[in-house]
């Protein structure tokens, strides 16, 4: 069992990473604080795969499945969660267990943050992306039609339970999505994450541990994103806009991977770094199998969508760029023509 600890303002919590952890939880719920009333929130894919058996094994559990997909990370879904929590008789002593990918984790986490002004939350991520990124750090929330993650809260989990064994049912494109966020952490702080030897399900435990540690280090220093936590948005100004213009046709991880490439190209265009960094990102995206072109998308529409991101304030653009490996830098007021030129170069 690998155990990492997060020292957050709302308290310290553990991240347990172990193959077979799901079965261990079923065998001894009390050992994981799950012997009280638990409302498992999952979705229509993961719920039948893992949620139903878990609910059966816990002494006092209800299971709620949201529909599957980014389009359901919405206030309408949150309202359904509130109804389900009331129907289940959930109170301030109940626990929400978020069992799924990042969409489930964000939405269920927001429900836990707001139901009765906040109840306990355990994150049990089942996608690689949720394991390496979304289940840790406390960002929870939903999208609005106007943009990504425009409603949310900081709700640190009471515990994070990660069982790499559940990745064996994860579709390949979703593995690639998780790799995008792991590669992001590699360029931000840990170059070992860029080693292809780690990019296999057999090495998932090591990959997750390293990627999570990068996020823990950032979140512990800047839990509410007043400063360096913005670095975790590397590639995301491009990514959120692409998700918007494609109406979530691009998966978050796919858009993030492309966003890393575009950010490297923009960094080079603005003289922050040389072309080698772009080439390194390009090589890794090709190895992982993530998109490196936006063929068919409109750069002007992507630029306009960037303005709906909450980081783009008072007409001032904001990009997280790179001066080099492990040298992120926040840059405001990037001229529109530079952004358009970068996107056009990657059509
Ligand atoms: N809060 C944060 O810090 C944070 C960080 C990164 C991303 N996010 C958010 O996370 C979301 C993306 O998360 P995601 O990539 O996990 O997408 P997702 O939640 O849609 O899950 C990916 C797909 O894989 C399925 N799935 C998940 N685990 C599975 C398993 N073990 N076996 C079979 N199928 C499985 C899901 O049902 C879904 O269809 C976006 O909304 C993004 O904004 C949040
Ligand atoms: O945890 C963070 O901080 C991140 O930026 C992680 C990102 O990978 C994630 O996509 C997050 O939801 C983006 O944050 P947002 O504040 O831009 O919505
Ligand atoms: Zn992300």
């Amino acid at each position: 069992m690998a155990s990492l600890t997060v020292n957050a303002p709302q308290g310290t919590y553990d991240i347990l990473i172990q193959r077979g952890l799901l079965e261990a939880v079923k065998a001894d719920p009390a050992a994981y604080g799950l012997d009280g009333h638990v409302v498992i929130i999952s979705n229509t894919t993961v719920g039948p795969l893992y949620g139903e058996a878990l609910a059966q094994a816990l002494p006092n559990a209800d299971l709620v499945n949201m529909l599957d997909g980014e389009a359901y990370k919405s206030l309408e879904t949150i309202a359904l969660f509130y109804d389900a929590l009331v129907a289940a008789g959930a109170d301030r002593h109940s626990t929400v267990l978020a069992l799924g990918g990042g969409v489930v984790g964000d939405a269920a986490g927001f429900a836990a943050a707001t139901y009765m002004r906040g109840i306990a939350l355990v994150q049990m991520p089942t996608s690689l992306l949720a394991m390496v990124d979304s289940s840790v750090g406390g960002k929870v929330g939903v999208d609005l039609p106007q943009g990504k993650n425009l409603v949310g809260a900081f709700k640190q989990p009471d515990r994070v339970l990660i069982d790499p064994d559940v990745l064996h049912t994860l579709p390949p494109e979703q593995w690639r999505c998780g790799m995008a966020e792991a590669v992001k952490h590699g360029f931000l702080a840990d170059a070992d994450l860029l080693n292809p030897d780690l990019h296999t399900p057999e090495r998932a435990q090591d990959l997750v541990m390293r990627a999570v540690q990068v996020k823990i280090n950032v979140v512990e220093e800047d839990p509410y994103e007043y400063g360096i936590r913005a670095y975790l948005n590397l590639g995301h100004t491009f990514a959120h806009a692409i998700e918007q213009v494609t109406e979530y046709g691009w998966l978050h991880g796919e858009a993030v991977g492309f966003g890393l490439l575009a950010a490297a190209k923009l960094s080079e265009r603005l003289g922050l770094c040389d072309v080698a960094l772009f080439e390194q990102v390009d090589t890794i995206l090709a190895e992982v199998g993530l998109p490196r072109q936006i063929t068919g998308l409109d750069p002007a529409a992507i630029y306009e969508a960037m303005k709906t991101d909450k980081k783009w304030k008072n007409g001032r653009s904001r990009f997280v760029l790179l001066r080099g490996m492990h040298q992120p830098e926040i840059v405001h007021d990037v001229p529109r023509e530079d952004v358009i030129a970068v996107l056009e170069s990657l059509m």
Side-chain angles (χ1 to χ4, degrees), residues 25-146:
V25 168
K26 290 179 192 172
D28 187 1
Y32 302 91
L34 296 171
D35 52 335
H37 182 226
V38 176
V39 179
I40 302 169
I41 294 182
S42 191
N43 71 19
T44 48
T45 299
V46 177
L49 278 173
Y50 303 109
E52 289 168 6
L54 181 58
Q56 286 295 319
L58 297 184
N60 181 7
D62 296 275
L63 172 64
V64 183
N65 289 323
M66 64 183 284
L67 294 175
D68 190 347
E70 183 75 29
Y72 300 102
K73 193 170 114 174
S74 68
L75 287 175
E76 292 77 9
T77 296
I78 298 300
L80 295 174
F81 288 166
Y82 293 151
D83 290 346
L85 286 161
V86 171
D91 62 21
R92 294 296 304 279
H93 303 291
S94 300
T95 296
V96 166
L97 188 150
L99 179 73
V103 167
V104 164
D106 281 9
F110 185 66
T114 52
Y115 180 73
M116 292 193 178
R117 295 194 183 87
I119 64 175
L121 170 66
V122 171
Q123 291 277 8
M124 196 159 194
T126 62
S127 73
L128 180 64
L129 189 145
M131 291 180 183
V132 303
D133 195 344
S134 61
S135 61
V136 175
K139 276 190 180 179
V140 295
V142 294
D143 308 326
L144 293 183
Q146 296 90 327

Side-chain angles (χ1 to χ4, degrees), residues 278-293:
F278 169 82
E279 289 166 347
Q280 188 175 5
V281 176
D282 194 52
T283 300
I284 288 170
L285 294 185
E287 173 248 317
V288 170
L290 283 162
R292 295 135 69 211
Q293 286 185 312

Side-chain angles (χ1 to χ4, degrees), residues 21 56 60 124 137 148 163 181 197 201 236 297 310:
L21 185 57
Q56 286 295 319
N60 181 7
M124 196 159 194
K148 281 275 294 187
D163 180 354
E181 302 276 19
D197 293 347
H236 281 61
L297 300 189
K310 55 188 168 314

